[in-house]
Amino acid sequence: MARLLELEPIRLTNGKWRVNVIPALSPTGKRQQLRFDTKQAALALIEELKARRDNTAAVNRTLSPAQLLDAASAFELLTDHPTATLSDAARIYLDVIKTRIASITLEELFKRFKAAKKHKSKFYLRDIKWVSDRLSPLHAKLVSDITRAELAALLGPLPDSSRNNMLRTLRGLFRYGHDLGYLKEVPIRRNDFVEIKRAEIDVLLVGKIRRLLETALAHDAGLLPLLLIETFCGVRPKEAVRVLWSDIDLFRSRLTIRAAISKTGTARAIELAPCALAWFERCAAGMGPIISDSESRLRSRLRKVRYHAGYRAVGARWTPGSLRDAFCSYHLAHYGSIDRMITEAGHTDVRTTKDHYLGLVSKEAAAEFWNLFPPPKEKIVQFEGAATR
């Protein structure tokens, strides 16, 4: 028979104090003999045990036999988690239920997210639509219930770069939902992204750039301002299509990339070199955006110009961002200032500048690039004897 709980501490021969704890009040469920250096510490435990005993007696009176059996089953489920308590498990469960009640479907989250981002670029809104279409099998599911495994199953067949792009959009979507309390945990992790090693940049030769610009001037002069912004200002293609004519100040020799169109959300000013000014003076300036075509129409026009410039197979060998890469490479070789390069290119990491663009071209090639002026205008020759009006 188990010994009764002694309500008084027992003094030991070594001067310490002992308290006997019966299994019913022991946190381990087994009889314990606890020792203390002082009587006060032993008495404090005894008071705690008395309160536990009274609470246990009250529970036994209020809980039905079925509830006691249910509690015993719950403790059995927690056997493999000795540090967890039944109250901890109940609290976590209630949090999950609370989140599910407040949650919404993935389709509804996409609608609210797109409405919240309506002022973003058309490319960002397009990416949201692409991801939404890709995850259409999960549209009816609550976002609080969506798992990483389900996302991986739908995104797994995509190429690494496409999957990374969709994961970035999804991370923004789920963070938006998390901030509004629709889900407890964002189902996107850092290791879900695939590290893509960037190949060494193949910088466009100055002769090819000249041929491209002169072809645009001859065949589609409306595209020339866009190409100049990428070539001599190093602006990202998705930023360049949102530049307004009012952002170009030829009097002050400056192009301003507004924060609203910048990829990093930070405005930056880019100094226009004399050759860039000479090219811009050949353009017919207008009002509003420099390009107002749809994405498909613009892509078709660019392919046609590149084709006439010698890039055959309808632009199949053209790498997006080639003009920006050329600008960065020639800029760093010519001016030799990483700080200026970072500012004008809009880089957020100095390593990006050093790793990708340092030492790719010679100073002679860079000097040739920054001396790339437009061809002279054709002169009208007046022949002798020609009639005048």
Side-chain angles (χ1 to χ4, degrees):
M1 181 177 178
R3 297 177 58 184
L4 296 176
L5 173 65
E6 298 178 8
L7 299 180
E8 291 294 334
I10 301 172
R11 186 179 180 84
L12 303 177
T13 56
N14 60 1
K16 295 183 179 296
W17 299 83
R18 188 185 72 196
V19 175
N20 294 331
V21 183
I22 62 175
L25 299 181
S26 172
T28 63
K30 299 179 181 180
R31 182 175 179 272
Q32 290 180 299
Q33 290 185 343
L34 304 179
R35 289 173 171 77
F36 300 90
D37 293 331
T38 64
K39 184 177 181 180
Q40 289 78 6
L43 290 173
L45 176 67
I46 288 175
E47 292 302 319
E48 181 181 336
L49 293 175
K50 288 180 179 180
R52 190 179 301 172
R53 178 195 61 192
D54 296 340
N55 291 337
T56 301
V59 167
N60 288 334
R61 289 194 301 269
T62 57
L63 292 181
S64 66
Q67 289 174 320
L68 291 173
L69 288 174
D70 189 44
S73 299
F75 279 118
E76 186 176 351
L77 293 174
L78 296 174
T79 302
D80 295 334
H81 305 278
T83 59
T85 65
L86 187 58
S87 59
D88 290 337
R91 191 176 299 109
I92 293 173
Y93 173 78
L94 291 175
D95 285 343
V96 171
I97 293 299
K98 182 180 178 181
T99 302
R100 292 192 83 253
I101 293 174
S103 189
I104 58 177
T105 64
L106 181 62
E107 184 178 18
E108 181 62 24
L109 181 61
F110 268 116
K111 290 180 181 178
R112 299 186 185 187
F113 184 63
K114 189 172 183 179
K117 304 297 181 181
K118 62 182 179 181
H119 297 300
K120 290 286 187 178
S121 70
K122 61 181 180 181
F123 299 102
Y124 188 76
L125 298 178
R126 178 203 62 188
D127 290 344
I128 295 176
K129 182 182 184 305
W130 282 357
V131 177
S132 177
D133 292 343
R134 185 75 187 185
L135 298 187
S136 57
L138 300 178
H139 275 184
K141 193 166 186 177
L142 293 177
V143 293
S144 61
D145 295 341
I146 294 176
T147 64
R148 294 173 64 197
E150 291 172 321
L151 297 177
L154 293 174
L155 302 181
L158 294 172
D160 291 343
S161 58
S162 299
R163 183 165 63 254
N164 283 351
N165 288 338
M166 288 202 171
L167 283 172
R168 277 189 284 271
T169 304
L170 274 177
R171 184 170 56 188
L173 172 80
F174 285 120
R175 283 178 176 174
Y176 170 80
H178 179 270
D179 291 343
L180 294 177
Y182 299 143
L183 62 153
K184 196 71 175 177
E185 187 176 351
V186 175
I188 304 290
R189 298 288 185 278
R190 183 188 297 273
N191 57 8
D192 292 332
F193 293 86
V194 178
E195 184 177 354
I196 302 175
K197 187 176 181 181
R198 183 171 181 177
E200 185 175 343
I201 295 173
D202 186 15
V203 182
L204 290 174
L205 299 177
V206 178
K208 289 186 176 182
I209 298 175
R210 174 182 292 279
R211 190 160 60 248
L212 179 67
L213 297 181
E214 291 182 355
T215 301
L217 180 62
H219 290 272
D220 193 344
L223 281 180
L224 186 59
L226 177 67
L227 297 175
L228 296 178
I229 289 172
E230 293 186 40
T231 302
F232 293 113
C233 304
V235 179
R236 299 176 180 90
K238 290 186 179 181
E239 296 174 337
V241 295
R242 302 178 67 193
V243 171
L244 304 177
W245 280 108
S246 57
D247 298 329
I248 304 173
D249 190 341
L250 298 182
F251 180 75
R252 293 182 174 84
S253 304
R254 181 177 63 193
L255 168 67
T256 301
I257 301 299
R258 293 168 282 116
I261 68 174
S262 172
K263 177 184 177 182
T264 60
T266 304
R268 65 184 189 274
I270 304 166
E271 182 180 343
L272 297 178
C275 60
L277 291 173
W279 278 99
F280 273 116
E281 288 173 356
R282 301 289 290 272
C283 300
M287 302 293 291
I290 61 168
I291 291 291
S292 56
D293 287 340
S294 65
E295 184 180 356
S296 59
R297 171 63 180 159
L298 175 60
R299 185 164 55 246
S300 175
R301 291 174 64 188
L302 287 170
R303 284 178 176 175
K304 188 174 295 185
V305 167
R306 290 197 296 264
Y307 180 84
H308 287 297
Y311 294 92
R312 302 304 181 185
V314 198
R317 290 177 290 177
W318 181 264
T319 302
S322 293
L323 294 175
R324 171 177 166 84
D325 288 339
F327 167 85
C328 293
S329 303
Y330 290 124
H331 189 291
L332 199 56
H334 185 70
Y335 295 105
S337 173
I338 291 181
D339 290 338
R340 178 178 172 181
M341 176 75 256
I342 291 175
T343 300
E344 296 195 348
H347 291 162
T348 56
D349 185 1
V350 67
R351 178 170 294 182
T352 301
T353 306
K354 289 184 176 180
D355 291 352
H356 296 321
Y357 302 112
L358 189 60
L360 293 184
V361 297
S362 65
K363 286 186 174 294
E364 292 76 15
E368 184 184 0
F369 175 82
W370 294 107
N371 196 38
L372 202 167
F373 284 85
K377 294 182 179 180
E378 295 182 0
K379 295 182 179 180
I380 299 177
V381 180
Q382 183 71 42
F383 293 98
E384 280 187 40
T388 58
R389 295 180 182 179

